[in-house]
Amino acid sequence: MASIFTKIINGEIPCYKIDEDENFFAFLDINPNARGHTLCIPKKEVDKIMDLDEETYMGLMAFSRKVGKAIEAAVDCNRVGISVIGLEVPHVHVHLIPLNGMKEATFQYKVAPTKEEFEAIAKNIRSKIE
Ligand code: 5GP
């Protein structure tokens, strides 16, 4: 069965899209640790990051860097942190999290933007993609 993230890529489930290319896709996390928390995924559905072939792994990191730089330019934060966990959704995803301290990195602290806020954040990040 297709993962929830494959359904997002295919447009079967809505998302606040940030960026896409031939192999990768980025969108806002629906339950963010901080405003601007973004997930970058390979279109190829693989559960664990260490099981990616090297080319996809390196491509995902390069794509995440591009998106992360746009987040840093668009969101008021000290820096963008990276986490890969994957215990909830079995489709590789890189968490890009705007950090002002450790609490945003813990996954214990959550924020709840409105739909309008999600849309504005996504638009702002998209405008900074180079
Ligand atoms: P992990 O698998 O790394 O533990 O966490 C999965 C992440 O995916 C969580 O941060 C969760 O909020 C996010 N997530 C789960 N389902 C959806 C969804 O349908 N849409 C979006 N945008 N994010 C999701």
Side-chain angles (χ1 to χ4, degrees):
M1 202 178 81
S3 77
I4 198 162
F5 290 167
T6 294
K7 290 180 179 168
I8 286 175
I9 293 165
N10 292 338
E12 296 163 34
I13 292 176
C15 74
Y16 301 99
K17 184 173 162 181
I18 301 296
D19 195 20
E20 176 179 14
D21 68 14
E22 191 187 337
N23 298 312
F24 304 103
F25 194 96
F27 55 103
L28 293 181
D29 193 299
I30 205 64
N31 186 23
N33 297 11
R35 283 172 170 74
H37 181 169
T38 297
L39 302 176
C40 295
I41 64 178
K43 291 185 175 177
K44 191 186 293 185
E45 192 179 316
V46 172
D47 178 2
K48 299 192 283 183
I49 191 162
M50 297 308 169
D51 289 340
L52 289 178
D53 61 78
E54 187 171 341
E55 186 182 352
T56 306
Y57 178 92
M58 300 304 274
L60 177 62
M61 288 304 144
F63 181 80
S64 300
R65 177 174 180 267
K66 178 180 71 160
V67 174
K69 287 171 85 72
I71 297 170
E72 274 186 357
V75 177
D76 183 22
C77 63
N78 177 277
R79 65 193 57 227
V80 170
I82 294 183
S83 279
V84 178
I85 301 171
L87 292 171
E88 185 185 324
V89 179
H91 183 147
V92 173
H93 46 284
V94 173
H95 292 264
L96 298 176
I97 308 166
L99 302 177
N100 283 302
M102 265 309 288
K103 74 174 186 223
E104 293 93 354
T106 63
F107 291 83
Q108 304 297 317
Y109 173 86
K110 295 288 179 176
V111 296
T114 63
K115 182 174 187 295
E116 290 70 28
E117 285 175 314
F118 269 119
E119 282 166 356
I121 293 163
K123 186 176 175 192
N124 204 4
I125 297 171
R126 279 196 302 269
S127 76
K128 303 292 185 186
I129 299 261
E130 291 182 350

